[in-house]
Amino acid sequence: MAVSKAQQKATAKYVKNNYDTTLIRFKKGTKSLIEAEASSKNESLNGYIKKAVKARYEADTGNTIDL
């Protein structure tokens, strides 16, 4: 099913207003290793990285964070 231009625009606006984005750079070949591990756990790459960041943040600060 094709997504209309209006729907694409609405989605982009929602994402812009509700999410922060960042760029993460990995050495060549590392991304595919992380993707494979995430896939083996039935997770997306984004979800896998967010879990790792959340665990590290909570371990470092003792505070919870909602990603």
Side-chain angles (χ1 to χ4, degrees):
M1 178 184 213
V3 178
S4 70
K5 294 281 185 187
Q7 183 62 48
Q8 290 174 350
K9 186 176 178 181
T11 300
K13 181 180 176 183
Y14 176 83
V15 169
K16 181 180 177 185
N17 290 332
N18 293 284
Y19 293 96
D20 291 326
T21 59
T22 189
L23 173 68
I24 300 174
R25 296 181 194 274
F26 297 108
K27 288 185 179 182
K28 286 280 187 187
T30 305
K31 179 183 172 190
S32 61
L33 295 173
I34 298 168
E35 283 177 320
E37 187 59 27
S39 180
S40 76
K41 306 259 188 289
N42 292 320
E43 294 184 58
S44 67
L45 177 62
N46 189 62
Y48 187 85
I49 292 170
K50 285 172 66 172
K51 272 188 174 178
V53 169
K54 180 181 174 100
R56 175 69 185 264
Y57 179 86
E58 290 176 359
D60 288 352
T61 67
N63 297 319
T64 59
I65 188 171
D66 183 29
L67 301 177

